[in-house]
Each structure stands twice: as C-alpha cells, then as structure tokens.
Amino acid sequence: MNKHALFLAGALVAAVPGFAVEPAPNGITLPEGYRQWKVLSVHHRSDNNTLRAVLGNDVAQKAARDGKTNPWPDGVVLGKLVWKAVKHDRWETAVEPGAFIHAEFMIKDAAKYASTGGWGYARWLGKEQKPYGADANFVQECLNCHIPVKDRDYVFTHPVQLPGDPER
Amino acid sequence: MNKHALFLAGALVAAVPGFAVEPAPNGITLPEGYRQWKVLSVHHRSDNNTLRAVLGNDVAQKAARDGKTNPWPDGVVLGKLVWKAVKHDRWETAVEPGAFIHAEFMIKDAAKYASTGGWGYARWLGKEQKPYGADANFVQECLNCHIPVKDRDYVFTHPVQLPGDPER
C-alpha cells in the first residue's frame, strides 16, 4: 500500500463509530477503558448548566485513598464526562444528564508534560468523539482555566468521601 | 461462647469502621463491592441540595447497554451515593460533594420482593453506615417516593449516554 492508500484506510477506520478515535492535536490518544473507571466526584455547573462525573484510573483511585493528591503521582489519569443538565421529567427539583457533550482528560507525567504543569490535556467532543482544538495550542485554553487551582496541582476535583475512607 | 458473649462479639465487630455493617431492618445486607461499580447517572436535587452518583453492578450495566430497563432483570442492583452539595471554593458557579449523607440500594428479584414491586430497598446512613428505618416497614417510605415511576419499573434513573452506546 502506498502512503495515500494508507491515509484512506486510516480515515475509513476512524469513521466507524466506536472503532477508532483520532488523537488530540497534541498527540494524546483517548485513554483506553475509561468507561471502566470509578467515580472520583460529581459536579453541577450552573454557568453552562452541565452535570459532570469525574472518573479516575486505578492509579488515581489509589492516590485519592492515600491522600496523595498534591501533587498527584505520575500515571494518574483523570477523566471528566460532561452532559447537558436537563430537568428530570418525574422529579421537578432534580436535574439529570441529557445529551453527552464531551469527555476530557488530564494525564499526569511530570517530565513529559513539564511545559504544561506536569499534566497532558485532551478532550473529545460528543458521541462521535471528535478531537478538540484546531492545533496543539488548544492546551493553553485548558491551562488558563486550571490556573486558579495551580496550588492544588491544577486539579479542581476533591475526591469524594465514602464510608471506609479516612477523614481528609 | 454463650449467646450473650456472641452478641457482644458481634457488637464489637460492627463497631470497627469498614469491617462489618449491620443489615437493614428488612434483612437486606450491604451489597458487597459497590465502590467498584460503574456510574449509571448523576443527579443534583435542589429540593434537598444533594448531589448523587447512581452506580450499577455488572448485571445493571449490561441491562443498561442492552436497553433492558423496563423491567430491569433479576440480579440488577442499583446503588445511589448521596452527598450534601456545597459550593466549589474555586469555581463559584459549581457545586461539588460535601459531607456523605447515605448510600441506598434497589435489588431486583421479582419473586423475592414481589410485595414491593420486585425490588428490595435498603439504605445505610453516613460514613458509619447505620441502617435506616426503625423496623421493616421503612420500605413503605421508599415505595411511596418511587410510585411516580411505577411505569418505569420504579426506577427514576435514565442510564447516561456515552460514546459507543446505541441511541435510546
């Protein structure tokens, strides 16, 4: 196969839903198996009316249990799933997830991502998982939003308290 | 050991956090390993200002993927983790989980729980996981709240849409 044929084959594969997802413009690929990860927290933002589930891979779950979250250790991946918040049709004072908006991730590798505070950022839009950002500079937008929590290793999420957890 | 000594031993075991949890007044025991379950949905209720993560065991996750949720099949266990919603200290238009309020469960067994719509209900309060209800009649309170969704097999939760899911 020549280069052109390879490119076409790649494009076809990427077009099959659930089969392949294009990497983000900074080269980060969709973390595998994030749907199997456990919950670290949940949020409701009223400025853009979204509900969020924050998930963490096994390294993140262990770090949260051990209270090692400032800084988070290398190997941590945090995933945030974001939905439009809609009024529940049978409980009028509750909101529930409507349309899926995006999945976004923070990948901790202090050396590899030193230029962006030790975290690699990436986001995929919608159920079609379209990579976010016109080029690799999109990470400046991520960073700008996370600067208010620079002193918490750039992470907004406080892992939830559950039975069996030590008090934090 | 006589009966009295056994009772004391049981009370001591129950007093060790994370070691043993008393069953609910209707005899339902805390579902094991619920902390490993995956997210089915997230809710924010403004009437009592709580954030909720709805989790499902493996049977529930498969039923949700297959769209078999009315009725849900036997073997499904749904868990709801509830926290006080508090304003995020670095994002003023967001709420995040504060104190843990309770974990509550619905266990589907159409025959065993026929008298309560096919679901067994139980709730454990706080990080100390104190069983809810003075006696087995507490389930009437659960049922009264779930009657508005009797036509949806008594379940308020619509499993979230994620990439790779079929449209529902």
Side-chain angles (χ1 to χ4, degrees):
Chain A
M1 246 189 307
N2 62 28
K3 272 190 187 172
H4 187 64
L6 273 171
F7 173 80
L8 279 176
L12 282 169
V13 165
V16 179
F19 190 86
V21 176
E22 293 287 332
N26 56 356
I28 291 178
T29 55
L30 184 70
E32 278 186 39
Y34 71 87
R35 293 192 60 159
Q36 309 303 317
W37 297 353
K38 287 170 281 175
V39 180
L40 276 180
S41 190
V42 296
H43 300 138
H44 179 205
R45 268 178 63 178
S46 56
D47 52 334
N48 60 10
N49 203 25
T50 53
L51 278 165
R52 288 116 182 284
V54 184
L55 311 180
N57 68 353
D58 287 346
V59 182
Q61 297 292 342
K62 183 174 189 320
R65 278 197 307 276
D66 296 345
K68 296 188 173 164
T69 59
N70 198 3
W72 292 78
D74 280 4
V76 164
V77 188
L78 306 177
K80 194 177 275 172
L81 307 177
V82 181
W83 300 269
K84 191 74 188 166
V86 298
K87 188 172 163 175
H88 195 286
D89 61 348
R90 301 281 177 95
W91 195 280
E92 65 175 22
T93 53
V95 290
E96 65 172 345
F100 179 71
I101 297 177
H102 65 241
E104 57 192 16
F105 298 88
M106 291 175 71
I107 300 166
K108 186 67 186 275
D109 186 325
K112 185 173 181 182
Y113 301 116
S115 68
T116 50
W119 292 95
Y121 292 85
R123 174 189 282 173
W124 285 268
L125 304 177
K127 287 187 71 178
E128 63 276 21
Q129 298 186 292
K130 185 179 180 307
Y132 179 80
D135 57 43
N137 287 324
F138 81 91
V139 294
Q140 286 307 316
E141 194 183 329
C142 310
L143 270 178
N144 289 345
C145 239
H146 283 258
I147 279 176
V149 284
K150 184 179 177 181
D151 62 329
R152 293 184 193 162
D153 198 18
Y154 297 94
V155 175
F156 283 99
T157 295
H158 301 102
V160 290
Q161 286 277 303
L162 282 175
D165 286 341
E167 293 294 335
R168 283 189 290 263
Chain B
M1 248 190 304
N2 63 26
K3 272 189 187 172
H4 187 64
L6 274 172
F7 173 80
L8 279 175
L12 284 169
V13 165
V16 179
F19 190 86
V21 175
E22 294 287 332
N26 56 357
I28 291 178
T29 54
L30 184 69
E32 278 184 40
Y34 72 86
R35 293 193 60 160
Q36 310 303 318
W37 297 352
K38 287 169 281 175
V39 180
L40 276 179
S41 190
V42 295
H43 299 137
H44 179 204
R45 267 178 64 178
S46 55
D47 52 335
N48 60 11
N49 202 27
T50 53
L51 279 165
R52 288 114 183 285
V54 184
L55 312 180
N57 68 353
D58 287 346
V59 183
Q61 298 292 342
K62 182 174 187 324
R65 278 197 306 277
D66 296 346
K68 295 189 172 162
T69 59
N70 198 4
W72 292 78
D74 279 5
V76 163
V77 188
L78 306 177
K80 194 177 275 172
L81 307 177
V82 182
W83 299 269
K84 191 74 187 167
V86 297
K87 188 172 162 176
H88 195 286
D89 61 349
R90 302 280 176 94
W91 195 281
E92 64 174 22
T93 53
V95 289
E96 66 172 345
F100 179 71
I101 297 178
H102 65 240
E104 57 192 16
F105 298 88
M106 292 175 70
I107 299 166
K108 186 66 185 276
D109 186 325
K112 184 173 181 181
Y113 301 116
S115 68
T116 50
W119 292 95
Y121 292 85
R123 174 188 284 172
W124 285 268
L125 305 178
K127 287 187 73 177
E128 62 275 21
Q129 298 186 293
K130 185 178 180 305
Y132 179 80
D135 56 44
N137 287 324
F138 82 90
V139 294
Q140 286 307 315
E141 194 184 329
C142 310
L143 270 178
N144 290 344
C145 238
H146 283 258
I147 279 174
V149 283
K150 183 178 178 181
D151 62 329
R152 293 185 194 162
D153 198 20
Y154 297 93
V155 174
F156 283 98
T157 296
H158 301 101
V160 291
Q161 287 277 303
L162 283 174
D165 286 342
E167 293 294 337
R168 284 190 291 263

